[in-house]
Amino acid sequence: MRIRTLEIGVGLFLLAGLLALLLLSLRVSGLSVGHSDTYRLYAYFDNIAGLSVRSRVTMAGVTIGKVTAIDLDRDSYTGRVTMDIDQDVDILPVDSTALILTAGLLGEKYIGISVGGEEEMLADGDTIRDTQSSLVLEELIGKFLLNSVNKE
Amino acid sequence: MRRHSPLERVRLLGRAGLDVVAALGRSVLFLGHALFGRGGIGDALGLLVRQLYSVGVLSLAIVVVSGIFIGMVLSLQGYSILSNYGSEQAVGQMIALTLLRELGPVVTALLFAGRAGSALAAEIGNMKATEQLSSLEVIGVDPLKYVIAPRLWAGFISLPLLTMIFSVVGIWGGAMVAVDWLGVYEGSFWSNMQNSVSFTSDVLNGVIKSLVFALVVTWIAVFQGYDCEPTSEGISRATTRTVVYGSLAVLGLDFILTALMFGDF
């Protein structure tokens, strides 16, 4: 009888450990099982400063996907961003705009997509043509200084 | 203390060095023999279950309690710093990353060395001092297989499980303080955490770390017990050494593992 309670205790311990792993993977790291329910879009930006892989892609503030790769396009010298968008958001018109935005003053960068007006929708492997680059504080300050010099 | 001539000192130094190397070699042979040696014993699973109980289940209380408190403290400290920058929402990701990458594996391994490691060393040392180990040999049972192997396996299995339980409980404690007490918005707390924690590079690397720590801590504990002088003084020295060597090995290895896992800048 004693060995039985021992076994039950150990069994509960193992279950608790596995449950902990499950919680860590699903609740904490947000691991989703299966990744076939997304489609891929590309966008070229003059400057992607601050954006990183796993950044959010949002529309109207709602997260609809994430950035999966960032690389330099060798022909146009621009940054190419690869995004995985949820399959249930397959209603992006082809003339939608992708902007790199900042959450708060010092927060993380993310991509915001604003809707266009075309009838045709973006499909897997398409490229978003209309983009607006990351806001770089130094460039902004540079422009501001140049303006104030010109005025004088 | 007797005074030694310089030549004698060199000789003693050499002997101390050889002793260290010999102990290292003995411990490797010991580990190999205990884990992979031939010769089955009757109820291997029953022995393992009993050890899992005393090594794992009985360590659960201290791990859970310290996990909750460490998570709560992280939450408080993180909040007071992050609120200076107006980004209290990031407290979730800070707690999760700290616990999964560093504090979970390291603190659990240190607690394990203190709670279970010392007990293992003392138990085996006492078996040696009361000649239970040699009696086993006399009746034809290999003590490495019967006494040591189940304890080693129990350590390997329990520490990673304890680490994951520690992290989960810590994150829960942190969430409790941040969300219910300090008033961080619950949605952004969890979504920030999920956006920044990656399963392979954070959760799995933490588990790999704890597997390495489990091997090292249990090995040190069991070997110190098995290799101790069979006197009460020897047992006490073995217990002390287990905790000291175990903790130092965990902290040192943690640096190396962190450099390997997260150092590729």
Side-chain angles (χ1 to χ4, degrees):
Chain A
M1 199 57 217
R2 231 187 77 72
I3 193 84
R4 180 102 184 114
T5 49
L6 214 75
E7 279 170 358
I8 291 172
V10 172
L12 284 177
F13 171 59
L14 293 180
L15 280 180
L18 292 180
L19 186 73
L21 181 66
L22 201 72
L23 276 175
L24 285 183
S25 55
L26 296 180
R27 184 87 170 124
V28 176
S29 72
L31 192 76
S32 54
V33 188
H35 45 82
S36 56
D37 50 349
T38 59
Y39 66 105
R40 183 153 290 188
L41 291 181
Y42 301 98
Y44 293 85
F45 292 96
D46 292 334
N47 192 341
I48 56 128
L51 196 71
S52 61
V53 176
R54 292 171 59 77
S55 290
R56 287 180 300 142
V57 178
T58 66
M59 165 166 262
V62 182
T63 304
I64 58 167
K66 65 179 182 212
V67 173
T68 51
I70 295 175
D71 35 13
L72 185 73
D73 185 54
R74 295 174 62 90
D75 301 324
S76 60
Y77 297 100
T78 51
R80 189 180 74 156
V81 174
T82 311
M83 298 169 279
D84 276 0
I85 311 289
D86 293 343
Q87 192 64 64
D88 34 321
V89 193
D90 52 355
I91 42 162
L92 303 176
V94 285
D95 60 341
S96 299
T97 312
L99 312 94
I100 296 182
L101 303 169
T102 312
L105 190 57
L106 297 166
E108 38 155 6
K109 300 270 183 178
Y110 63 98
I111 291 185
I113 295 182
S114 50
V115 184
E118 288 275 341
E119 296 279 304
E120 207 182 326
M121 299 299 166
L122 285 165
D124 187 41
D126 281 356
T127 302
I128 298 182
R129 309 235 164 270
D130 206 0
T131 61
Q132 187 180 319
S133 292
S134 189
L135 188 125
V136 180
L137 212 56
E138 287 86 341
E139 286 180 5
L140 212 67
I141 295 171
K143 272 182 199 159
F144 175 73
L145 287 179
L146 210 65
N147 272 346
S148 54
V149 168
N150 286 347
K151 268 180 200 163
E152 278 171 12
Chain B
M1 281 294 269
R2 201 160 59 84
R3 287 183 62 108
H4 297 295
S5 67
L7 199 64
E8 183 79 353
R9 278 195 202 140
V10 171
R11 202 178 68 82
L12 285 176
L13 187 71
R15 173 184 285 170
L18 283 180
D19 278 350
V20 169
V21 174
L24 214 61
R26 217 163 45 236
S27 68
V28 172
L29 289 177
F30 162 86
L31 182 73
H33 190 133
L35 291 185
F36 308 111
R38 312 266 253 121
I41 28 148
D43 183 20
L45 196 68
L47 288 172
L48 179 64
V49 165
R50 201 166 303 160
Q51 288 312 317
L52 272 176
Y53 185 79
S54 69
V55 168
V57 178
L58 294 182
S59 310
L60 210 53
I62 185 175
V63 163
V64 167
V65 172
S66 15
I68 290 180
F69 279 113
I70 285 181
M72 283 171 23
V73 167
L74 273 178
S75 191
L76 274 178
Q77 291 282 10
Y79 183 84
S80 76
I81 294 171
L82 287 171
S83 60
N84 288 340
Y85 302 99
S87 47
E88 302 92 73
Q89 283 79 17
V91 75
Q93 91 191 49
M94 192 209 82
I95 296 170
L97 288 179
T98 323
L99 279 173
L100 288 173
R101 288 184 178 177
E102 288 301 331
L103 284 185
V106 172
V107 174
T108 316
L110 293 179
L111 290 173
F112 188 81
R115 165 67 183 75
S118 58
L120 283 178
E123 191 188 11
I124 296 171
N126 194 38
M127 280 185 185
K128 189 178 185 185
T130 52
E131 292 181 350
Q132 294 178 45
L133 293 183
S134 16
S135 338
L136 276 177
E137 259 173 275
V138 168
I139 60 168
V141 175
D142 185 353
L144 283 181
K145 281 274 137 199
Y146 189 76
V147 175
I148 306 296
R151 287 174 170 74
L152 278 172
W153 284 115
F156 298 164
I157 296 171
S158 349
L159 185 49
L161 293 175
L162 288 171
T163 301
M164 286 184 285
I165 294 172
F166 182 93
S167 299
V168 165
V169 167
I171 289 170
W172 176 71
M176 209 166 58
V177 168
V179 174
D180 298 337
W181 185 13
L182 299 172
V184 174
Y185 174 56
E186 193 175 2
S188 48
F189 181 89
W190 290 108
S191 69
N192 264 337
M193 189 188 292
Q194 290 175 356
N195 279 331
S196 59
V197 176
S198 110
F199 182 71
T200 44
S201 77
D202 296 324
V203 178
L204 281 190
N205 273 346
V207 174
I208 291 172
K209 265 189 184 178
S210 72
L211 279 170
V212 174
F213 295 162
L215 177 78
V216 172
V217 170
T218 327
W219 181 17
I220 289 176
V222 170
F223 179 71
Q224 289 296 344
Y226 192 75
D227 203 47
C228 76
E229 247 175 80
T231 58
S232 38
E233 198 193 354
I235 294 172
S236 82
R237 219 177 299 141
T239 320
T240 312
R241 266 199 223 130
T242 299
V243 178
V244 173
Y245 292 175
S247 312
L248 287 180
V250 164
L251 294 172
L253 274 174
D254 182 49
F255 176 74
I256 296 171
L257 287 174
T258 308
L260 284 177
M261 287 169 176
F262 303 106
D264 50 342
F265 296 117

